[in-house]
Amino acid sequence: PSMAELPKIISADDHIVEPADVWTSRMPAKFKDAAPHIVRKEMPDVTFVGGKLTVNEGGGTAPADWWIYEQLQRPLLRVDSAVGVPRDEVTMKGITYDDMRPGSYSQKERLEDMDENHIEASLCFPTFPRFCGQTFSEAEDKELALLCVQAYNDYQVEEWCAGTGGRLVPLTIVPLWDAHLAAAEVRRNAGRGVRAVCFSEIPAYLGLPSIHDPDNYWDPFFAACDETSMVVNMHIGSSSKMPSTSADAPAAVGSSLTHINAELSMTDFLMSGLFERFANLKVAYSEGQIGWIPHLLHRMDVVWEDNRGWGGVADKVPNPPSSYFADHVFGCFFDDPNGLLLIDEIGEDNITYESDYPHSDSTWPRTREIAEKQMSGLTDEQRYKVVRGNAIKLFGLDFK
């Protein structure tokens, strides 16, 4: 058991609520009015049932800040920025920037909140673009959409992360609608030191080719990631589909099952042959938790061994699926004490930690306290790797 002080945490999964001028300030003149922009207006009450937002007819109204882009009108919601708010008040209510904790969107206050939470460095997923840039993939004007992708990445590198001494780590998006454009954007960002990119856990759910595509649709993207040591980060929900049981199931049902998307995706990747073709490719399952990993690795190996004749992977996956895990797959968690009991089966080098700031699941400002309690049975070396060392190595960070 550990006795040393918990090392400073590097969070592999936090979130940024983009400031209102991210796109309007970076667009060519002809796209100024069409770029995503904020409008403040009244918002009816909504609920979240069966994975969908439902407007309550006759419900009350309150001012909210809305993103406007093409046909999309997307309000900022209390669940987007829930830290510092009593749990019973974390609802699907619309809010304005004035209602948020400033660390949700402002660099200075974010660094202060990280200090309060024993966190040295953080990767932040987008909010308006969604977890892997689906918003722009669904847009009609793809010329504008590509500029929006590039503008977001410029914001990440040149503004959000700039001047922080590496404490805020750039996490970029790509134009998912074109694998060659995606590869080019990976290389553009790698050229300025970026080592992390978002991708969909299950692209087929977005109407895109799957990673099993017989024509290897995604190979240009994965080749670029392989060559530039760009880590592919897949957040739960980056397929725009969250697991649930029925259309009328309360949101709590789906929220309890979010790790299932990570399970589905990891099975996809380990059964795809991608890690045979791309020896340096690394993927990370953000907010996917870790306790399920040993069972799934065992099950995949059994299927691979016993069902080779008809399973459809014998030619693509010459070795047991679990044999690719250690070199290629990383699990990320914020609250999984059972998973930590299985650290020897998962592998202490393949686990990273997170605080999920500023979402409703976030452990802020108690991330350190929770980590110390849940990791009390780990050795000092294991704690260092989980809260810090593995992320430093994975993302090539300039920390010790």
Side-chain angles (χ1 to χ4, degrees):
S2 175
M3 298 299 292
E5 181 182 4
L6 187 78
K8 281 284 188 75
I9 296 164
I10 293 178
S11 175
D13 169 34
D14 293 310
H15 301 266
I16 170 74
V17 177
E18 298 82 14
D21 68 345
V22 165
W23 289 280
T24 53
S25 66
R26 290 174 172 81
M27 283 295 128
K30 77 171 191 173
F31 286 121
K32 279 283 189 207
D33 294 338
H37 59 280
I38 287 286
V39 172
R40 183 165 295 185
K41 60 179 182 175
E42 297 291 298
M43 177 178 169
D45 288 339
V46 297
T47 52
F48 193 64
V49 178
K52 291 187 172 64
L53 279 178
T54 303
V55 176
N56 298 331
E57 296 297 336
T61 60
D65 285 334
W66 294 67
W67 282 107
I68 309 297
Y69 172 56
E70 292 192 344
Q71 304 307 310
L72 178 63
Q73 299 188 42
R74 197 278 197 197
L76 299 181
L77 299 169
R78 173 49 71 205
V79 291
D80 293 332
S81 177
V83 290
V85 177
R87 290 298 184 184
D88 288 346
E89 295 176 21
V90 177
T91 67
M92 302 305 290
K93 175 186 175 186
I95 59 171
T96 69
Y97 285 97
D98 302 330
D99 301 322
M100 291 186 192
R101 190 171 182 86
S104 303
Y105 57 84
S106 175
Q107 183 199 77
K108 176 179 177 290
E109 287 84 354
R110 174 62 65 94
L111 293 171
E112 291 170 356
D113 281 352
M114 288 163 59
D115 288 340
E116 185 177 344
N117 208 23
H118 198 63
I119 288 179
E120 182 157 33
S122 164
L123 278 83
C124 294
F125 282 84
T127 297
F128 174 71
R130 313 220 297 280
F131 292 144
C132 65
Q134 303 102 298
T135 296
F136 302 123
S137 183
E138 294 167 1
E140 293 178 14
D141 186 337
K142 287 301 192 283
E143 181 186 2
L144 172 57
L146 179 59
L147 290 172
C148 287
V149 168
Q150 293 168 339
Y152 177 79
N153 293 337
D154 291 347
Y155 162 73
Q156 273 277 316
V157 174
E158 299 168 6
E159 189 171 335
W160 178 244
C161 300
T164 64
R167 294 193 64 193
L168 291 172
V169 181
L171 175 58
T172 52
I173 57 177
V174 293
L176 292 166
W177 61 90
D178 186 317
H180 293 280
L181 287 176
E185 187 62 9
V186 165
R187 291 192 170 93
R188 182 176 84 95
N189 292 308
R192 47 187 179 175
V194 176
R195 287 284 301 275
V197 66
C198 304
F199 189 64
S200 173
E201 59 205 354
I202 309 169
Y205 284 175
L206 303 179
L208 297 165
S210 83
I211 63 167
H212 305 290
D213 178 61
D215 297 323
N216 297 327
Y217 172 86
W218 292 107
D219 272 20
F221 168 72
F222 289 126
C225 294
D226 180 85
E227 292 163 17
T228 61
S229 297
M230 188 75 70
V231 180
V232 177
N233 297 266
M234 293 175 283
H235 196 284
I236 54 166
S238 56
S239 57
S240 297
K241 182 177 179 180
M242 295 301 280
S244 191
T245 55
S246 60
D248 57 353
V253 172
S255 189
S256 300
L257 300 171
T258 53
H259 63 283
I260 288 176
N261 276 14
E263 295 191 53
L264 298 173
S265 181
M266 191 177 86
T267 310
D268 246 1
F269 271 81
L270 289 174
M271 293 288 199
S272 69
L274 277 170
F275 298 133
E276 274 291 317
R277 300 204 303 282
F278 302 112
N280 190 43
L281 183 64
K282 290 176 171 53
V283 303
Y285 286 105
S286 309
E287 209 174 318
Q289 312 306 336
I290 57 175
W292 50 268
I293 290 174
H295 165 76
L296 189 56
L297 290 177
H298 171 75
R299 178 60 187 159
M300 281 192 281
D301 282 357
V302 169
V303 169
W304 178 86
E305 184 68 42
D306 293 350
N307 302 314
R308 298 178 62 81
W310 59 268
V313 297
D315 55 333
K316 297 186 295 184
V317 186
N319 301 301
S322 68
S323 68
Y324 300 95
F325 179 86
D327 290 335
H328 298 281
V329 182
F330 293 79
C332 311
F333 80 103
F334 61 83
D335 184 6
D336 191 350
N338 295 305
L340 288 173
L341 297 175
L342 302 170
I343 189 169
D344 292 336
E345 294 181 53
I346 299 167
E348 63 188 39
D349 297 320
N350 292 77
I351 302 171
T352 62
Y353 199 51
E354 58 189 53
S355 81
D356 198 30
Y357 180 108
H359 282 183
S360 57
D361 268 335
S362 179
T363 51
W364 185 92
R366 298 175 51 244
T367 306
R368 176 183 188 170
E369 175 189 337
I370 291 168
E372 286 179 330
K373 181 179 178 182
Q374 294 190 352
M375 298 182 198
S376 61
L378 272 55
T379 66
D380 288 342
E381 182 181 11
Q382 287 174 328
R383 292 203 309 169
Y384 168 80
K385 286 181 176 181
V386 169
V387 303
R388 180 179 185 84
N390 292 338
I392 290 172
K393 187 175 178 181
L394 178 62
F395 297 108
L397 305 180
D398 193 19
F399 295 108
K400 293 182 180 177

